Amino acid sequence: MTNQDTREIFLLKLGEVVLKGLNRHTFEDKLVGNVSRRLRHCGSFNVTLRQSTIYVEPRSEDCDMAEALTACRQVFGVVNVARAVPCEKDVDAIFETAAAYLKDEFAAARTFKVESKRADKLFRLNSIQISQAVGGLLGERFPNVAVDVHKPDLTVHVEIREKAAYVHAPAAPGAGGLPIGMGGTAVSLLSGGIDSPVSSWMMARRGVQLEMVHFVSPPYTSQQAQDKVLELARLLTAWCGRLTVHIVPFTKIQEEIRKHCPEEYFTLIMRRFMMRLSEKVARSVHAGALITGESLGQVASQTLPALGVTEDVTTLPVLRPLIGMDKVEIIRLSREIGCYETSILPYEDCCTVFTPRHPSTRPNLEDVRAAEAVLDIEGLMSEAMAGRERIRVKP
């Protein structure tokens, strides 16, 4: 697009936030605040909300508009983002603005149409009349580009709003969902694999503020494995903002399980400890749920009986957004949110330590409880929590 310097702005359209009732303004205020925070590294912007649209206007010419566009598209609660130019609410002004702003697009297109929206009902022309008037003038200015109202190469969007008219090409899709902070806080069990970053992203998209917990087992797991997980958390900050990762030492727990428990229950008892410790982290940060990357039937510890055994030890809700997805779907999402290439780096985490040769897929809850009863559960947990490290991850 032709650069219009500081005249170019962003129009952010809201999604399901507009369906909220009496508390809609709370969602809108949260969303405006989230957008403002995410744009701080891009320059100085005015961020305002009018008529279910957030206006993002640069205050100076040194704002990074490309970075700002990316940031706006990654804010949950925004369904699409348009780069637009404001002008007077006059047909001739709209035409001249469209012809100048979209000159490069017209040069590349063979067909076009104009779509208009009249939010200001006091404007003298209705939407169809605006499209016809502006489209006629653009057709005269660009005679080599024919009108096609069904499948045009270029759609020129005109919005007549309370303060000005706005011209833009088709908007880019946003992240959708709900503003982060409106869905409460949850602790996500973050490993170095593909699944847990995706499940974290999915719950953040529903407005959940995330705290992350990761378990390490040196010397069985390396510093590179921990760094990989911190990088996954950093990649998620593009969508979620700053995150805290709680690093919990897990070596002694795993060694005690290996020494004293039946091999077929190694993974299940390990997962039970993870859930207990994650709940302790959750209570400490006033979180209301746990999030895991489990998908039904994907591995032995993710059968229905095994999932029941795992969550037996917590009273918090366990959110499993991937539960009905297959691996192909999860990988597709992992690529889309930018985590896949990091997730497949060959650094194993503690989930792969002491993996049983023949894990139980249909465990009996009482049998598992009896198997772990020989352990000093409270002592092991207290020691692990005492060694917890909190790492703040920034975008």
Side-chain angles (χ1 to χ4, degrees), residues 14 27 83 97 181 309 364 373 393:
L14 280 56
F27 284 81
R83 297 180 75 152
T97 299
V309 166
N364 177 275
V393 181

Side-chain angles (χ1 to χ4, degrees), residues 330-374:
I330 298 169
I331 289 173
R332 176 183 58 78
L333 265 178
S334 178
R335 291 183 185 277
E336 288 180 7
I337 66 178
C339 290
Y340 180 73
E341 295 302 326
T342 300
S343 289
I344 61 174
L345 292 175
Y347 303 119
E348 296 183 332
D349 56 36
C350 69
C351 293
T352 59
V353 176
F354 310 142
T355 302
R357 291 165 294 180
H358 303 290
S360 174
T361 58
R362 297 181 179 276
N364 177 275
L365 177 57
E366 295 305 322
D367 290 343
V368 176
R369 285 175 175 172
E372 71 178 10
V374 298

Side-chain angles (χ1 to χ4, degrees), residues 41-118:
H41 72 285
C42 304
S44 179
F45 292 85
N46 286 320
V47 181
T48 56
L49 173 69
R50 300 189 298 274
Q51 295 177 304
S52 300
T53 298
I54 294 176
Y55 296 75
V56 175
E57 303 171 81
R59 292 194 180 109
S60 62
E61 295 184 9
D62 60 355
C63 290
D64 190 331
M65 296 297 281
E67 277 295 314
L69 174 63
T70 299
C72 288
R73 292 184 61 191
Q74 293 178 315
V75 176
F76 294 122
V78 174
V79 292
N80 63 56
V81 181
R83 297 180 75 152
V85 170
C87 63
E88 294 181 25
K89 292 191 283 187
D90 173 81
V91 168
D92 289 334
I94 295 168
F95 154 63
E96 291 293 349
T97 299
Y101 185 54
L102 301 176
K103 180 177 64 176
D104 294 343
E105 281 76 359
F106 272 104
R110 291 177 298 176
T111 58
F112 84 101
K113 73 172 181 178
V114 177
E115 283 191 2
S116 301
K117 179 179 179 180
R118 186 184 62 156

